[in-house]
Amino acid sequence: MRGQTIALQLGFEVGDTPEFGFRARIPRDDKCLDRTEINMKLGTLLVESRITEADFQKQRPDLVESYRDFTDVFDTELLPRRNGQYVSYQLIRNVLAAHELGLSFTDPLFSKSRCLLPVAAMEK
């Protein structure tokens, strides 16, 4: 029973089959779509794992800010930057993908460290 309760809180049901290497598309301001791969989709939950990314990439502001829903989803003043570039670019894309698809997102390891976002999971 406890496992079922946790699963439902996270957005999946016991017995859901995980989709590894889930491909998502994120709309940009120029009407193009950016493709990103998320480690796993389980029900309505997207999950990223630190195993595949050492630093989650840095990216220049003009590219990150070109995502259509970027300012709707993020408080840009709270996003960390290093040397003028956004850090954790992969996580930013994953959250934008979750937003676009109406899903939740989490990175279990990242949410216990210094947070990119004030929440570990986000719902549209």
Side-chain angles (χ1 to χ4, degrees):
M1 182 67 168
R2 178 179 152 93
Q4 184 174 2
T5 301
I6 292 170
L8 291 172
Q9 287 175 338
L10 291 175
F12 65 93
E13 294 186 30
V14 174
D16 279 352
T17 303
E19 296 177 52
F20 295 99
F22 180 76
R23 298 197 184 267
R25 294 183 177 161
I26 310 160
R28 304 182 79 83
D29 285 336
D30 62 5
K31 307 287 187 214
C32 291
L33 294 172
D34 187 15
R35 296 178 190 163
T36 190
E37 184 177 299
I38 299 164
N39 292 124
M40 181 179 70
K41 178 182 181 286
L42 184 59
T44 62
L45 179 68
L46 300 179
V47 181
E48 182 66 33
S49 169
R50 284 185 168 245
I51 295 169
T52 61
E53 297 284 341
D55 65 1
F56 290 108
Q57 305 172 340
K58 290 178 269 189
Q59 192 54 262
R60 53 184 213 278
D62 63 307
L63 181 64
V64 177
E65 294 167 2
S66 71
Y67 290 106
R68 184 189 68 200
D69 299 325
F70 180 71
T71 56
D72 293 336
V73 173
F74 295 101
D75 182 338
T76 60
E77 299 297 317
L78 297 178
L79 291 176
R81 294 186 192 203
R82 186 175 301 128
N83 297 324
Q85 295 185 323
Y86 285 101
V87 297
S88 302
Y89 175 56
Q90 178 66 31
L91 295 178
I92 291 170
R93 289 191 327 215
N94 290 350
V95 170
L96 289 168
H99 174 78
E100 175 64 16
L101 296 167
L103 303 174
S104 298
F105 170 77
T106 190
D107 170 9
L109 297 177
F110 193 70
S111 64
K112 293 182 186 210
S113 62
R114 293 182 61 186
C115 289
L116 169 70
L117 299 172
V119 292
M122 170 220 125
E123 293 183 6
K124 188 172 179 180

